[in-house]
Tab-separated table of all heavy atoms in Angstrom:
chain	number	residue	atom	x	y	z
A	48	LEU	N	-4.546	-9.222	0.197
A	48	LEU	CA	-3.118	-9.344	0.603
A	48	LEU	C	-2.932	-10.713	1.271
A	48	LEU	O	-2.820	-10.830	2.543
A	48	LEU	CB	-2.668	-8.251	1.584
A	48	LEU	CG	-2.746	-6.810	1.076
A	48	LEU	CD1	-2.600	-5.787	2.129
A	48	LEU	CD2	-1.654	-6.708	0.001
A	49	PRO	N	-2.978	-11.882	0.569
A	49	PRO	CA	-3.140	-13.157	1.212
A	49	PRO	C	-1.771	-13.541	2.011
A	49	PRO	O	-1.896	-14.378	2.843
A	49	PRO	CB	-3.269	-14.124	0.060
A	49	PRO	CG	-2.799	-13.318	-1.120
A	49	PRO	CD	-3.024	-11.910	-0.892
A	50	HIS	N	-0.706	-12.870	1.800
A	50	HIS	CA	0.552	-13.260	2.429
A	50	HIS	C	0.692	-12.387	3.764
A	50	HIS	O	1.715	-12.693	4.500
A	50	HIS	CB	1.707	-13.145	1.588
A	50	HIS	CG	1.590	-13.950	0.368
A	50	HIS	ND1	1.626	-15.316	0.369
A	50	HIS	CD2	1.440	-13.657	-0.901
A	50	HIS	CE1	1.413	-15.826	-0.916
A	50	HIS	NE2	1.196	-14.831	-1.677
A	51	ILE	N	-0.079	-11.559	4.147
A	51	ILE	CA	0.099	-10.677	5.267
A	51	ILE	C	-0.571	-11.343	6.443
A	51	ILE	O	-1.621	-11.926	6.379
A	51	ILE	CB	-0.439	-9.255	5.028
A	51	ILE	CG1	-0.048	-8.341	6.180
A	51	ILE	CG2	-2.018	-9.283	4.972
A	51	ILE	CD1	-0.398	-6.911	5.912
A	52	SER	N	0.009	-11.393	7.567
A	52	SER	CA	-0.530	-12.029	8.886
A	52	SER	C	-1.568	-11.046	9.371
A	52	SER	O	-1.429	-9.763	9.129
A	52	SER	CB	0.603	-12.331	9.770
A	52	SER	OG	1.112	-11.098	10.285
A	53	ASP	N	-2.509	-11.491	10.199
A	53	ASP	CA	-3.460	-10.673	10.885
A	53	ASP	C	-2.664	-9.525	11.736
A	53	ASP	O	-3.044	-8.376	11.834
A	53	ASP	CB	-4.467	-11.375	11.626
A	53	ASP	CG	-5.438	-12.150	10.755
A	53	ASP	OD1	-5.916	-11.468	9.938
A	53	ASP	OD2	-5.724	-13.279	11.098
A	54	LYS	N	-1.632	-10.001	12.434
A	54	LYS	CA	-0.915	-9.093	13.358
A	54	LYS	C	-0.243	-8.037	12.486
A	54	LYS	O	-0.393	-6.808	12.905
A	54	LYS	CB	0.161	-9.890	14.137
A	54	LYS	CG	1.123	-9.056	14.910
A	54	LYS	CD	2.165	-9.826	15.551
A	54	LYS	CE	3.054	-8.886	16.412
A	54	LYS	NZ	4.273	-9.420	16.819
A	55	MET	N	0.399	-8.349	11.404
A	55	MET	CA	1.006	-7.224	10.548
A	55	MET	C	0.035	-6.349	9.931
A	55	MET	O	0.241	-5.229	9.870
A	55	MET	CB	1.921	-7.906	9.506
A	55	MET	CG	2.749	-6.984	8.708
A	55	MET	SD	3.736	-5.886	9.658
A	55	MET	CE	4.930	-7.072	10.388
A	56	LEU	N	-1.075	-6.868	9.397
A	56	LEU	CA	-2.105	-6.058	8.881
A	56	LEU	C	-2.654	-5.013	9.887
A	56	LEU	O	-2.744	-3.842	9.718
A	56	LEU	CB	-3.316	-6.945	8.278
A	56	LEU	CG	-4.414	-6.051	7.733
A	56	LEU	CD1	-3.895	-5.070	6.624
A	56	LEU	CD2	-5.478	-7.022	7.082
A	57	SER	N	-3.004	-5.639	11.096
A	57	SER	CA	-3.489	-4.643	12.210
A	57	SER	C	-2.482	-3.661	12.548
A	57	SER	O	-2.813	-2.481	12.765
A	57	SER	CB	-3.778	-5.523	13.348
A	57	SER	OG	-4.873	-6.406	13.128
A	58	GLN	N	-1.160	-4.075	12.696
A	58	GLN	CA	-0.051	-3.069	13.054
A	58	GLN	C	0.063	-2.053	12.000
A	58	GLN	O	0.207	-0.818	12.232
A	58	GLN	CB	1.203	-3.809	13.282
A	58	GLN	CG	2.374	-3.050	13.617
A	58	GLN	CD	3.598	-3.839	13.755
A	58	GLN	OE1	3.578	-4.953	14.154
A	58	GLN	NE2	4.751	-3.251	13.452
A	59	SER	N	0.043	-2.534	10.740
A	59	SER	CA	0.264	-1.491	9.566
A	59	SER	C	-0.915	-0.506	9.507
A	59	SER	O	-0.685	0.677	9.322
A	59	SER	CB	0.473	-2.212	8.324
A	59	SER	OG	1.533	-3.025	8.326
A	60	LEU	N	-2.182	-1.024	9.709
A	60	LEU	CA	-3.329	-0.216	9.609
A	60	LEU	C	-3.264	0.900	10.739
A	60	LEU	O	-3.576	2.100	10.536
A	60	LEU	CB	-4.567	-1.004	9.689
A	60	LEU	CG	-4.940	-1.715	8.388
A	60	LEU	CD1	-6.072	-2.780	8.802
A	60	LEU	CD2	-5.430	-0.801	7.323
A	61	ARG	N	-2.849	0.298	11.987
A	61	ARG	CA	-2.788	1.303	13.099
A	61	ARG	C	-1.728	2.344	12.799
A	61	ARG	O	-1.877	3.585	13.153
A	61	ARG	CB	-2.329	0.478	14.331
A	61	ARG	CG	-2.603	1.190	15.678
A	61	ARG	CD	-2.287	0.351	16.923
A	61	ARG	NE	-2.805	-1.016	16.793
A	61	ARG	CZ	-1.984	-2.123	16.631
A	61	ARG	NH1	-0.675	-2.050	16.636
A	61	ARG	NH2	-2.566	-3.347	16.572
A	62	GLU	N	-0.561	2.020	12.277
A	62	GLU	CA	0.507	2.898	12.044
A	62	GLU	C	0.026	3.964	11.015
A	62	GLU	O	0.286	5.209	11.017
A	62	GLU	CB	1.820	2.234	11.572
A	62	GLU	CG	2.500	1.493	12.584
A	62	GLU	CD	3.651	0.681	12.096
A	62	GLU	OE1	4.060	0.821	10.956
A	62	GLU	OE2	4.251	-0.150	12.859
A	63	LEU	N	-0.632	3.560	9.981
A	63	LEU	CA	-1.072	4.428	8.900
A	63	LEU	C	-2.151	5.415	9.362
A	63	LEU	O	-2.214	6.534	9.030
A	63	LEU	CB	-1.673	3.602	7.753
A	63	LEU	CG	-0.612	2.860	6.817
A	63	LEU	CD1	-1.272	1.869	5.920
A	63	LEU	CD2	0.233	3.785	6.100
Side-chain angles (χ1 to χ4, degrees):
L48 298 168
H50 302 291
I51 193 171
S52 68
D53 285 317
K54 179 185 177 192
M55 186 55 67
L56 179 55
S57 295
Q58 180 182 327
S59 298
L60 288 167
R61 193 176 319 109
E62 288 174 13
L63 290 167

